[in-house]
Amino acid sequence: MNELLEQLAICIERGKVNLQSPFPVDLKGQEGADELTKRAIENSIPAEVILNESLMVGMQKVGDKFEEGKAFIPDMLIAAKAMNAAMVHLKPFFESGEVELKGDFIIGTVAGDLHDIGKNIVRMVLTGGGWNVIDLGTDVKAEKFVATLKEYPNAFIGMSALLTTTMMQMEVTTKAIKEVSPATKVFVGGAPLSQEFSDRIGADGYFPDPNKFVKYLSQAI
Amino acid sequence: MNESNYIAVDFGAGSGRVILGSIKKNKIFLKEVHRFKNKNIVENDHIYWDFKYLFEELIKGLKKIGDTNIQNIQGIGIDTWGVDYGLIDKDGELLANPFAYRDSRTNGIMEEVFNIVPTKEIYEKTGIQFLQFNTLYQLFATVKYNNSILKNADKLLFMPDLFNYYLAGKILSEYTIASTSKMLNATDKEWEIKLFESLSLPIQILPNIIKPGKVIGKLLPEIQKNTKLFDVDVIAVGAHDTASAVAAVPSQSKNWAYLSSGTWSLIGIETQEPIINEKSYQYEFTNEGGVEGTNRFLKNTMGLWILEQSIKKWKEGNKNINYDTLFGEAQKVKPFQFIIDPDDSSFLNPPDMLEAIDNYCEKTNQKIPTEQGEYVRCILESLALKYRFTIERINNLIPNPIEVLHIVGGGSQNELLDQFTSDALGVPVVAGPVEATAIGNILLQAIAKGEIGNVSEGRKIIKKSFHQKKSYLVKYITGKELIKRQKHFLIIKQNNSYRLMNKEKIKLRIEPLGKEVQVIKGTPLKDVVYQYGIEFPCGGEGYCGGCKVKLLSGDVRDPEKHEELNYKLGLEPEYRLACISEVNEDITLEIPQLESIILADNSLYSFTPKCGFGIAVDLGTTTLVAQLVDLSNGHVMGVQTSRNPQTRFGSDIMSRVMHGMNENGREESKKLIREEIYILVKKLLKEKKIELKKIVIVGNTVMHHLFCGFDVTPLSSYPFDTANNHSVEFDTDRLGWKLEENIKVVFVKPIASFIGSDILAGILASEMHLNSNLTALVDLGTNGEIVVGNKEKILCASTAAGPAFEGANIKMGMSAMSGAIASVSSGNGKLDSHVIGNQEPMGICGSGLIDSVKVFIQNNLVDIGGAIINDKDKLMIGGNVFITQKDIREFQLAKAAIVAGMQILINKLNRNLDDITRVYIAGGFGNYLNLKNVTDLGMLEVREERIRKLGNTALIGAKMLLFYDDYSFNNILQKVEHVSLDADESFQDIFVEKMFFNETILSISK
Ligand code: B12
């Protein structure tokens, strides 16, 4: 494989944003995701190849480590930063339609709950996995999910809740969504949840880990 | 019709039986012919079996059969308990009666053996766990104490082998019985000669081994004559009774486990090969030989002994016991109210089993059973949970999880236990046959004679012949539910009863409380007295004298050390510092600390004396503590603790909120907690003729709402409001408490939705509202409340750290109680840990978790990002206790939440962390907290010397509040401001940044 793409994948995995960024220490003074992506485009590597064969590979790698418990939240956040730096350069290609994303994904923390760190990580992993993510933020009411679904009718929906008390909002929201669009797939996540719970409220699946979730979604389409 | 008969002789430690088994039309029938008692005889301080007597009884039984006209008797098979043996000389004479396994000559022998051959090595070869009566140790003891007998010994025969020898004249050792000796190699099934050589044991006394299901020989002529049984073969059966019982398990499927249920429980699986590895060793599983070349992988745990002993006690009290009503009542009792660890050493041989159960429940902050049905429920549920625990461990070691449990033996008739077991395991339970041992004995005889082809064929016949009852799970108890309901049970680990049995117990009396407790010799005094509300102001360093106790009788270890310190601190000679004392003999203590309210700076709280008494209550989410205080002098006259009964609705406050969101749940929570506090109050007042004036209760906001009966719905979701934030006064009438009318009960007001009156009380105890320097109060509990301020302004926040520092949500986590690893350190490559109560470690509590993370990082087993290096998923700490990768992650989340909360508060005050001159840590587990590790790990970013452990600040504050008249706190509260972290922009960044550890930790001295 192309050495440049390989290097770029490493920058994503390790969270090397650009030349200036001091982390990780052993990559100090080297080019980061920002520079390498720019160069890859200049070398006329197709944007799609950059995305699929480099950025997503890097993201997948940290994701795997995170899943095993060997990487932690800060590792994910910094990888996502590097990913963002790369995406800036790829944006025109998405807008022109030259590169197609996997699909739309609406995400939000349910009504009554403001915990959003877990949700943000899921967003980053999804973006890194080639999805167009619409993040509705926290304390998102059922109506808001439904209204957004009207704009993105083919979107998948993901909800997050961290409180035993707000978990119940997921049931309300799932019902509201399924009522207007029975075919829409709704997924749930957050520390206090379980597959059992997901089944009970009529959602389409619970995922404790964003990485597994992205793999699942890619297969689902 | 064709009918063949077999004689099964089953010797037990308590009784023996001769049973006639007939096989007719492919079915087995049993008939008991003779039954006799077995008992030990004691000579010269040693305990023996009376072999001659036993053999005579055996012959009596055979004669009874010989006297009938039963035809076609094919064989006799003998089975007995394991490990015991006799020695015969060259002429075939038994040299002496066999020692009984309970004989004390093996005391201390295991250690001597381990000095020669390491424990692990022995286990790797024999696959047998360590019980001091294994034949190996018995033999070693014989060599040591009575070598002369060995000089004359020609052969060693185990109990069944001896009977076989006396019946048929053949010197052979049956394989399954030999496997219990710990002298057999579990894999190649031969004598472990090397071990004998290393221990200088005589190899020549080992007989040849015969496999079960083989004919040994005909009855000796004189026995034929004597019994009128001619042409009968003596047959080697599964001569170890459990081997016979397992042979008779009517299993038809693949993934099954058995439970041989009687006084003891033997629980395990049948495997083709022994399972000998690190885990099986730690879990203390044993590998014994089975029939047809199988291996019995099993564990010995407590059985119906506890029930038998309880019933005995009721009978002594002349209570009529009707078993139907007893179990019927038990069925009606609410589940999981009382859970004991059946293998706790206190149940081994207590003078009064019921009292032992009471004590255990009290010790573990549970309610105490009162009705017979409650005791029975407690015992059976606890056994079922223990079975679940053992099966889970087996599942950990095998590829396919257990799908069905077969219970055989007398205990299988206990249908309620069968049902509970099924519920606990989540798999069907098949109960029966009751007479599994005799049936298995007969089965192997029939196989030897070619009447039945093999064990699997035999099991089909058994299934048809005997009644079995199948219980299906009524309600599967999921792990989560279990944790919620009985957090403490999960951390009950396999107590090795035998090992503990040898530890000496000591009596400790605490005045002025009048409490008497039993502890294991060598237990640090600190482990004991902190449960009674004693604080250790300097954190157990021995320099402040705050935890001094007065000796009324007896002494603690190392009086010289204390004398020196007493001199330095200017204490009278009869004082000892609790924090550095070890109990080594029976003692009586008086605790001066209970005589005054000690404040944060180790000064005394000054108050205006009042007449009468008051009770201060700290109503915690998990634990309740109540102290009776003499208002004329501030002395504590009594302490009571118990478990919050609402824990049945979940362990964390949000599940309490959940439960209280509907009318019924709210009523139920209110009723439960009011009743529980009333019980504590009554216990405190018991037999005391005193005038109670008031009761002050503090607790978090949810507890406040639930006790007062307010709607908790506003606390359930954003924006998290309180329904009522006032101090509430009650008359005893309104609470349904039968106390004097004029007693005032106050639940003190919360500060904000997640900052309760426990924190308000903490502010009072720390006196930060009076201080001009910046002071912080940090509660490392689940809600992670942080308060920073001085006499001008006080900010507080709840950082929701989660329960990691309390040992919850941690794989082997537990609260800081007996059996918890409370501190860990490392020196020359070895981990050293302190277990509360000086016992076998059962789990790890918050302080132990903190220490181990630090130690592992410094020893390069965990990197500063928190990942375990080397692809490992867990790290061992001591005993069977380990921490997992996920545990470290939980720790990091909690730590980062605390640090972020603190940083945001100090930013809001426009000050620096360095301006905080004092940081007080609240909470009971603080006693064991190593402050250096706390700062090294960056849990608190302040200098170590500025941190003080303040103990139960809520309770200290509540005691101070007993002297208040006005509970509106307008003066203090106008300075206090609550900061909502969810509204804070910077929280996430700081939180994430603080998850990793600081690189400097690697260069800090250990
Ligand atoms: C950080 C934190 C906060 C922060 C929140 C900051 C923020 N912007 O999110 C602050 C301090 C504000 C806070 C406040 C509260 N918190 Co809080 N908080 C926590 C804490 C410490 C960590 C949560 C976290 O971020 N975890 C890390 C992330 C990455 O994990 P995660 O969210 O589970 O997400 C992962 C997966 O679940 C999954 N996932 C998540 N969502 C989704 C969605 C989909 C679709 C998929 C596929 C996957 C997925 O992927 C993620 C990555 O692996 C926990 C305790 C703990 N140690 O866990 C308590 C905790 C969650 N909080 C708790 C509580 C009670 C509160 C409060 C209500 C009360 C209080 N004590 O202050 C308030 C109110 C908050 C509000 N307004 O909603 C409780 C919940 C208890 C319960 N069973 O209900 C906890 C468990 C602490 C405790 N008391 O035990 N909290």
Side-chain angles (χ1 to χ4, degrees):
Chain A
M1 190 178 107
N2 187 317
E3 208 171 297
L4 181 61
L5 293 184
E6 233 169 85
Q7 195 55 37
L8 178 56
I10 291 175
C11 286
I12 302 293
E13 182 193 344
R14 308 274 323 271
K16 174 76 178 167
V17 180
N18 56 28
L19 187 62
Q20 279 83 42
S21 53
F23 296 110
V25 184
D26 58 318
L27 299 183
K28 212 168 171 174
Q30 296 182 23
E31 286 177 323
D34 178 31
E35 294 85 5
L36 293 178
T37 312
K38 215 159 44 188
R39 201 128 55 76
I41 295 170
E42 283 161 14
N43 288 357
S44 44
I45 303 176
E48 196 166 356
V49 174
I50 302 177
L51 180 66
N52 289 331
E53 289 175 24
S54 180
L55 302 184
M56 274 164 62
V57 172
M59 204 62 198
Q60 180 76 53
K61 277 201 176 137
V62 244
D64 283 344
K65 278 202 201 154
F66 184 68
E67 187 179 335
E68 285 168 30
K70 293 297 169 195
F72 201 34
I73 297 164
D75 300 304
M76 293 303 283
L77 291 182
I78 175 163
K81 251 191 200 157
M83 186 82 184
N84 283 344
M87 283 299 208
V88 170
H89 304 292
L90 294 185
K91 209 162 177 203
F93 299 93
F94 297 136
E95 278 162 2
S96 71
E98 191 186 320
V99 181
E100 259 189 47
L101 289 174
K102 292 207 170 116
D104 299 328
F105 194 99
I106 303 169
I107 194 166
T109 300
V110 295
D113 203 330
L114 299 187
H115 289 90
D116 64 353
I117 296 167
K119 179 217 70 189
N120 293 348
I121 291 186
V122 179
R123 182 192 65 214
M124 292 165 198
V125 175
L126 282 168
T127 312
W131 289 81
N132 176 37
V133 185
I134 302 99
D135 186 349
L136 303 181
T138 59
D139 191 20
V140 183
K141 314 253 173 339
E143 302 83 67
K144 182 84 184 278
F145 277 108
V146 172
T148 315
L149 185 62
K150 292 229 169 81
E151 278 175 60
Y152 303 89
N154 293 323
F156 290 93
I157 294 187
M159 289 184 272
S160 182
L162 267 270
L163 299 172
T164 314
T165 44
T166 53
M167 271 161 67
M168 293 308 148
Q169 280 303 318
M170 291 184 152
E171 183 165 9
V172 178
T173 312
T174 308
K175 279 220 179 88
I177 294 167
K178 298 274 178 180
E179 206 156 276
V180 297
S181 169
T184 298
K185 295 267 185 255
V186 178
F187 301 96
V188 293
L193 275 57
S194 65
Q195 182 58 44
E196 252 168 39
F197 173 78
S198 164
D199 294 345
R200 198 165 72 226
I201 63 163
D204 298 287
Y206 155 77
F207 288 83
D209 178 83
N211 198 42
K212 271 212 187 80
F213 181 53
V214 174
K215 283 185 196 160
Y216 169 87
L217 273 190
S218 309
Q219 272 165 11
I221 50 173
Chain B
M1 251 311 289
N2 261 354
E3 162 183 325
S4 48
N5 295 297
Y6 298 90
I7 303 169
V9 188
D10 172 32
F11 288 96
S15 68
R17 288 168 327 144
V18 178
I19 290 165
L20 186 71
S22 320
I23 304 186
K24 216 172 3 186
K25 291 196 190 147
N26 235 1
K27 274 196 174 183
I28 302 176
F29 301 88
L30 299 183
K31 192 178 156 200
E32 184 180 301
V33 182
H34 182 55
R35 177 187 276 266
F36 49 92
K37 270 208 146 54
N38 183 9
K39 49 184 185 304
N40 298 135
I41 47 176
V42 180
E43 263 166 36
N44 304 330
D45 286 342
H46 284 293
I47 314 177
Y48 302 91
W49 301 111
D50 190 347
F51 182 76
K52 238 176 101 190
Y53 157 78
L54 290 174
F55 190 70
E56 273 162 17
E57 291 296 329
L58 160 60
I59 295 294
K60 262 189 217 164
L62 297 185
K63 271 186 177 160
K64 279 191 192 170
I65 297 172
D67 286 342
T68 64
N69 57 356
I70 294 169
Q71 299 298 309
N72 195 15
I73 299 178
Q74 295 275 337
I76 299 177
I78 311 274
D79 66 71
T80 76
W81 65 94
V83 304
D84 287 341
Y85 64 94
L87 295 170
I88 53 169
D89 67 11
K90 288 223 161 40
D91 306 323
E93 289 295 319
L94 183 62
L95 283 168
N97 263 329
F99 278 108
Y101 57 87
R102 283 178 39 222
D103 182 60
S104 60
R105 76 195 190 293
T106 47
N107 284 355
I109 289 292
M110 282 183 25
E111 286 69 24
E112 286 187 37
V113 169
F114 298 157
N115 283 336
I116 306 171
V117 188
T119 41
K120 271 260 175 68
E121 210 176 304
I122 303 183
Y123 182 74
E124 272 161 17
K125 287 182 177 147
T126 63
I128 300 283
Q129 280 301 345
F130 301 87
L131 300 178
Q132 94 173 43
F133 49 64
N134 295 126
T135 320
L136 182 70
Y137 308 120
Q138 291 202 39
L139 207 55
F140 192 84
T142 302
V143 171
K144 183 171 169 187
Y145 297 119
N146 196 1
N147 211 352
S148 64
I149 192 173
L150 273 174
K151 287 214 178 77
N152 299 323
D154 182 46
K155 285 286 180 271
L156 174 151
L157 289 173
F158 295 103
M159 292 305 286
D161 302 337
L162 265 181
F163 291 112
N164 288 335
Y165 171 64
Y166 270 69
L167 289 174
K170 296 267 162 64
I171 297 180
L172 287 166
S173 191
E174 190 277 335
Y175 163 64
T176 65
I177 196 80
S179 76
T180 66
S181 67
K182 212 180 170 120
M183 308 192 311
L184 212 61
N185 184 300
T187 316
D188 63 23
K189 304 182 164 60
E190 293 293 341
W191 297 115
E192 182 50 52
I193 302 289
K194 276 235 183 72
L195 190 57
F196 261 62
E197 282 169 352
S198 316
L199 296 172
S200 313
L201 298 175
I203 296 163
Q204 73 284 356
I205 65 170
L206 298 172
N208 289 334
I209 292 171
I210 181 170
K211 292 281 156 68
K214 294 267 178 295
V215 174
I216 293 173
K218 293 275 180 244
L219 282 174
L220 292 169
E222 64 267 27
I223 294 184
Q224 293 194 16
K225 237 180 28 226
N226 191 0
T227 60
K228 299 194 210 117
L229 294 172
F230 306 101
D231 202 30
V232 175
D233 284 321
V234 177
I235 296 170
V237 297
H240 184 212
D241 47 15
T242 325
S244 274
V246 173
V249 170
S251 75
Q252 303 297 302
S253 62
K254 248 182 151 180
N255 302 314
W256 54 277
Y258 55 81
L259 163 61
S260 171
S261 173
T263 301
W264 289 93
S265 303
L266 297 151
I267 188 160
I269 52 175
E270 191 175 74
T271 59
Q272 292 310 311
E273 296 298 327
I275 303 178
I276 302 177
N277 55 38
E278 187 63 30
K279 258 195 197 156
S280 71
Y281 174 74
Q282 278 163 15
Y283 293 173
E284 303 191 341
F285 275 91
T286 226
N287 289 274
E288 292 173 350
V291 299
E292 250 180 14
T294 55
N295 178 70
R296 282 179 292 131
F297 182 67
L298 75 142
K299 181 158 178 82
N300 190 342
T301 68
M302 179 52 78
L304 288 163
W305 165 256
I306 304 184
L307 184 64
E308 291 159 10
Q309 291 299 105
S310 301
I311 291 176
K312 193 176 125 203
K313 205 69 208 170
W314 286 320
K315 284 191 174 154
E316 274 172 25
N318 284 331
K319 282 198 193 143
N320 258 335
I321 302 291
N322 174 327
Y323 288 86
D324 286 343
T325 24
L326 194 61
F327 293 118
E329 292 291 308
Q331 207 155 9
K332 279 186 242 146
V333 173
K334 209 183 272 171
F336 300 115
Q337 295 189 83
F338 329 92
I339 300 292
I340 57 175
D341 178 3
D343 286 302
D344 189 88
S345 58
S346 59
F347 303 119
L348 265 182
N349 222 343
D352 180 341
M353 188 58 84
L354 300 172
E355 202 182 290
I357 294 174
D358 293 352
N359 288 344
Y360 188 95
C361 288
E362 195 186 343
K363 187 175 81 185
T364 49
N365 291 326
Q366 304 183 72
K367 259 180 39 189
I368 293 168
T370 46
E371 304 300 319
Q372 289 183 353
E374 291 182 337
Y375 281 100
V376 173
R377 180 110 198 175
C378 159
I379 296 166
L380 298 186
E381 261 176 2
S382 303
L383 284 172
L385 288 173
K386 194 70 188 225
Y387 298 153
R388 172 197 171 107
F389 181 83
T390 311
I391 290 287
E392 274 174 357
R393 296 202 137 178
I394 293 179
N395 281 342
N396 250 328
L397 288 159
I398 55 175
N400 301 313
I402 299 302
E403 287 162 0
V404 56
L405 177 75
H406 285 273
I407 307 186
V408 297
S412 66
Q413 286 160 297
N414 191 323
E415 291 182 15
L416 198 55
L417 179 57
D418 298 340
Q419 184 60 54
F420 287 168
T421 306
S422 177
D423 295 347
L425 265 51
V427 301
V429 161
V430 182
V434 176
E435 292 287 357
T437 305
I439 298 168
N441 180 319
I442 288 158
L443 169 61
L444 267 286
Q445 295 187 50
I447 289 175
K449 298 293 284 186
E451 184 167 356
I452 292 176
N454 53 35
V455 172
S456 130
E457 192 181 303
R459 284 177 170 159
K460 283 193 193 121
I461 297 173
I462 294 167
K463 184 173 153 66
K464 271 193 311 194
S465 312
F466 299 94
H467 173 73
Q468 289 131 49
K469 186 177 177 299
K470 199 160 178 176
S471 308
Y472 292 95
L473 53 154
V474 175
K475 185 169 184 327
Y476 180 49
I477 314 160
T478 62
K480 258 197 187 146
E481 248 174 288
L482 201 63
I483 296 174
K484 273 191 192 161
R485 288 185 190 171
Q486 277 302 337
K487 170 66 196 154
H488 95 264
F489 191 83
L490 274 195
I491 42 87
I492 289 174
K493 294 288 122 60
Q494 307 288 80
N495 270 325
N496 188 332
S497 322
Y498 300 99
R499 215 176 288 156
L500 288 177
M501 197 162 55
N502 294 330
K503 289 210 175 165
E504 221 177 298
K505 292 276 176 64
I506 294 238
K507 269 204 205 95
L508 186 83
R509 218 183 139 74
I510 303 174
E511 302 293 359
L513 305 177
K515 281 254 173 197
E516 190 169 291
V517 287
Q518 274 209 352
V519 298
I520 292 169
K521 189 171 171 166
T523 300
L525 193 54
K526 184 169 150 184
D527 291 358
V528 189
V529 296
Y530 99 97
Q531 298 170 16
Y532 299 98
I534 308 307
E535 315 291 353
F536 304 91
C538 71
E541 303 287 333
Y543 60 72
C544 77
C547 64
K548 65 174 188 271
V549 297
K550 192 169 162 188
L551 290 171
L552 299 182
S553 74
D555 204 343
V556 298
R557 252 249 323 254
D558 237 349
E560 285 90 57
K561 188 169 70 184
H562 285 278
E563 270 158 32
E564 215 181 291
L565 277 168
N566 284 358
Y567 179 74
K568 264 193 214 152
L569 294 165
L571 296 174
E572 298 295 314
E574 66 270 26
Y575 283 99
R576 297 289 177 261
L577 301 186
C579 67
I580 54 165
S581 299
E582 253 177 39
V583 229
N584 253 29
E585 57 184 41
D586 291 356
I587 48 175
T588 307
L589 302 172
E590 192 177 83
I591 301 185
Q593 218 185 75
L594 294 174
E595 291 169 6
S596 46
I597 303 170
I598 301 188
L599 293 178
D601 55 358
N602 203 15
S603 67
L604 302 182
Y605 170 57
S606 58
F607 52 86
T608 322
K610 301 191 164 194
C611 63
F613 286 76
I615 291 179
V617 183
D618 167 26
L619 167 44
T621 313
T622 348
T623 319
L624 310 181
V625 192
Q627 287 189 337
L628 177 68
V629 179
D630 182 341
L631 298 179
S632 69
N633 55 17
H635 291 191
V636 175
M637 306 305 290
V639 186
Q640 287 292 336
T641 60
S642 77
R643 202 179 158 75
N644 187 328
Q646 296 166 344
T647 37
R648 71 186 60 161
F649 310 129
S651 57
D652 67 290
I653 47 166
M654 290 319 266
S655 43
R656 306 293 172 77
V657 170
M658 217 27 216
H659 190 80
M661 275 163 73
N662 66 53
E663 196 80 35
N664 286 342
R666 197 192 314 161
E667 268 312 303
E668 195 179 3
S669 304
K670 181 177 92 184
K671 195 165 159 270
L672 275 175
I673 192 63
R674 288 181 177 185
E675 279 173 7
E676 189 64 33
I677 293 183
Y678 179 49
I679 292 174
L680 291 184
V681 170
K682 270 201 314 197
K683 279 192 185 162
L684 283 172
L685 297 178
K686 199 166 134 194
E687 290 160 23
K688 290 199 183 81
K689 277 223 157 42
I690 52 175
E691 196 194 346
L692 185 64
K693 289 279 187 189
K694 74 161 72 155
I695 299 175
V696 168
I697 310 173
V698 300
N700 64 48
T701 312
V702 176
M703 291 304 118
H704 170 267
H705 278 44
L706 290 176
F707 182 93
C708 298
F710 300 142
D711 185 8
V712 285
T713 313
L715 287 170
S716 71
S717 61
Y718 181 73
F720 300 97
D721 283 325
T722 51
N724 180 318
N725 60 3
H726 297 290
S727 294
V728 187
E729 275 183 36
F730 300 87
D731 332 325
T732 49
D733 241 15
R734 207 174 120 202
L735 294 168
W737 296 357
K738 290 186 200 75
L739 299 172
E740 297 285 323
E741 257 170 45
N742 53 356
I743 296 170
K744 201 160 94 175
V745 182
V746 191
F747 202 122
V748 182
K749 68 196 289 187
I751 299 177
S753 44
F754 286 97
I755 313 263
S757 46
D758 48 346
I759 299 301
L760 179 58
I763 293 177
L764 296 179
S766 74
E767 296 197 312
M768 72 165 73
H769 61 300
L770 305 176
N771 203 325
S772 45
N773 290 329
L774 267 193
T775 304
L777 177 74
V778 181
D779 185 329
L780 293 176
T782 311
N783 298 326
E785 296 95 336
I786 297 181
V787 191
V788 184
N790 57 12
K791 64 180 183 197
E792 267 115 49
K793 187 169 183 180
I794 294 175
L795 296 186
C796 60
S798 152
T799 65
F805 299 139
E806 293 168 342
N809 258 355
I810 300 298
K811 180 90 184 184
M812 299 200 75
M814 62 188 286
S815 52
M817 60 182 213
S818 293
I821 293 183
S823 66
V824 181
S825 59
S826 76
N828 45 41
K830 259 180 61 186
L831 282 193
D832 232 346
S833 49
H834 169 64
V835 183
I836 300 178
N838 193 25
Q839 320 180 337
E840 293 283 303
M842 311 193 303
I844 188 163
C845 66
S847 56
L849 175 69
I850 292 168
D851 289 359
S852 41
V853 171
K854 152 98 183 268
V855 164
F856 288 138
I857 295 178
Q858 289 205 320
N859 288 316
N860 292 319
L861 291 166
V862 169
D863 68 24
I864 56 166
I868 299 182
I869 295 167
N870 284 345
D871 290 340
K872 280 202 197 123
D873 199 40
K874 64 180 186 195
L875 295 165
M876 296 305 302
I877 297 168
N880 295 339
V881 180
F882 54 82
I883 60 168
T884 66
Q885 178 68 67
K886 197 175 149 280
D887 295 343
I888 301 176
R889 298 308 185 193
E890 286 292 331
F891 172 82
Q892 288 176 280
L893 286 177
K895 166 215 157 185
I898 297 280
V899 184
M902 187 97 148
Q903 186 69 53
I904 287 172
L905 292 191
I906 205 78
N907 290 351
K908 284 241 147 73
L909 284 169
N910 274 325
R911 301 285 289 267
N912 296 314
L913 287 171
D914 210 36
D915 299 336
I916 307 178
T917 49
R918 218 8 122 238
V919 177
Y920 291 116
I921 297 184
F925 83 102
N927 284 327
Y928 297 97
L929 206 60
N930 178 323
L931 295 180
K932 178 158 171 32
N933 292 348
V934 166
T935 49
D936 287 355
L937 288 168
M939 281 168 63
L940 290 175
E941 296 183 324
V942 293
R943 279 187 262 159
E944 183 193 334
E945 62 273 15
R946 294 191 174 175
I947 308 177
R948 289 282 181 280
K949 304 175 202 172
L950 193 43
N952 189 343
T953 48
L955 190 64
I956 299 174
K959 280 190 280 187
M960 295 166 65
L961 285 165
L962 285 172
F963 297 93
Y964 278 53
D965 292 315
D966 173 16
Y967 293 97
S968 63
F969 307 100
N970 293 333
N971 285 343
I972 301 177
L973 289 180
Q974 68 187 19
K975 299 177 191 165
V976 181
E977 200 180 299
H978 172 238
V979 176
S980 246
L981 295 179
D982 48 42
D984 194 287
E985 293 291 320
S986 56
F987 184 87
Q988 177 167 337
D989 287 342
I990 306 179
F991 179 55
V992 173
E993 183 197 323
K994 297 297 180 185
M995 280 178 195
F996 282 177
F997 301 99
N998 202 320
E999 203 131 356
T1000 50
I1001 187 173
L1002 294 172
S1003 49
I1004 294 171
S1005 68
K1006 292 185 185 174

